[in-house]
Amino acid sequence: FYLAQIHHRGINSVEEAIPYYRKATNRDPSNAKYAYHLGTALLETNSPDQAIPYLKQAVNAKTQFAKAWLRLGQSQESTGQFESAANSFMRSIRANPELTMAEDEAGIGYHKLGQMYVRFGLFDKAVAVYENGLEVNPESLMLLHGRGVAELKRGELEAAVETFRKVVEEDPTRVSANFNLASALRKKGNKEQA
């Protein structure tokens, strides 16, 4: 396992880490951490279908493993298992509603679920997910921005403008928020402001 970690995180060679993660997982199949890291490495190498069994192994061994539920949801979404993905994202949220991953902000489970709802045009559900996420993670600009996207897609231009303005006020360098603010303003007919 530690040899795999050196390859994966130390020298950024995911492909070289995978065989060592496999060996660790095969030697101790009940170790949720080993299965999670193998599944994550497989997901990072664009093999979500191969990642799913190991991520399921991780959540079966440790049912409150929020990161494993999130990665399982991502793998399931990548392979077109959308209902399963939504359930996995919800399990991740229940396990840790304030979950962060790498450089993401708190509430990544809400964000992944909200993004999936937006993708399929379920804008009301997306707004509700983002609002729930913001109740728990009020400082998350990622969730605020996501809510703005759902509002914009839902045609609530005034709400979207207000939401994107809040994001831009907090972080003027967030390019997507500036773009979406301009888009919402243009759709409202405020071309000069846009």
Side-chain angles (χ1 to χ4, degrees):
F1 176 75
Y2 292 112
L3 189 54
Q5 289 279 280
I6 290 168
H7 283 286
H8 191 183
R9 302 292 176 215
I11 55 178
N12 294 322
S13 180
V14 182
E15 290 82 10
E16 289 183 37
I18 289 173
Y20 296 112
Y21 282 136
R22 278 191 203 281
K23 285 181 182 178
T25 303
N26 289 339
R27 287 184 182 186
D28 188 358
S30 64
N31 189 312
K33 182 168 71 169
Y34 294 173
Y36 166 75
H37 282 283
L38 176 55
T40 297
L42 289 165
L43 182 58
E44 288 176 18
T45 59
N46 295 317
S47 302
D49 53 326
Q50 293 178 37
I52 289 171
Y54 295 104
L55 294 166
K56 283 183 177 179
Q57 187 176 333
V59 297
N60 287 335
K62 185 178 175 188
T63 58
Q64 294 299 307
F65 198 161
K67 288 183 179 184
W69 281 112
L70 184 81
R71 296 288 190 219
L72 178 58
Q74 289 175 299
S75 299
Q76 291 164 327
E77 183 178 10
S78 294
T79 58
Q81 300 173 47
F82 303 114
E83 187 175 337
S84 296
N87 288 329
S88 293
F89 291 142
M90 286 185 229
R91 292 291 301 264
S92 176
I93 291 166
R94 275 187 237 123
N96 183 355
E98 298 172 348
L99 180 65
T100 61
M101 299 285 281
E103 64 278 342
D104 290 319
E105 297 168 35
I108 187 66
Y110 291 103
H111 184 58
K112 293 295 182 186
L113 182 59
Q115 278 184 317
M116 197 170 75
Y117 284 153
V118 166
R119 176 180 175 190
F120 289 104
L122 303 170
F123 307 127
D124 292 341
K125 284 188 172 196
V127 168
V129 165
Y130 282 116
E131 286 177 353
N132 288 338
L134 285 163
E135 286 178 22
V136 179
N137 305 284
E139 303 298 317
S140 176
L141 296 180
M142 172 185 65
L143 295 178
L144 189 61
H145 182 265
R147 186 183 76 190
V149 170
E151 291 166 341
L152 181 61
K153 297 279 188 181
R154 194 159 69 166
E156 295 177 350
L157 301 179
E158 195 62 46
V161 166
E162 183 181 324
T163 299
F164 291 129
R165 278 200 172 125
K166 287 178 187 174
V167 175
V168 170
E169 285 171 12
E170 290 295 319
D171 182 2
T173 65
R174 198 171 283 238
V175 176
S176 58
N178 281 287
F179 176 82
N180 285 323
L181 175 57
S183 180
L185 287 166
R186 185 185 58 76
K187 286 181 179 182
K188 276 187 63 181
N190 299 347
K191 292 182 181 178
E192 279 295 311
Q193 285 184 325

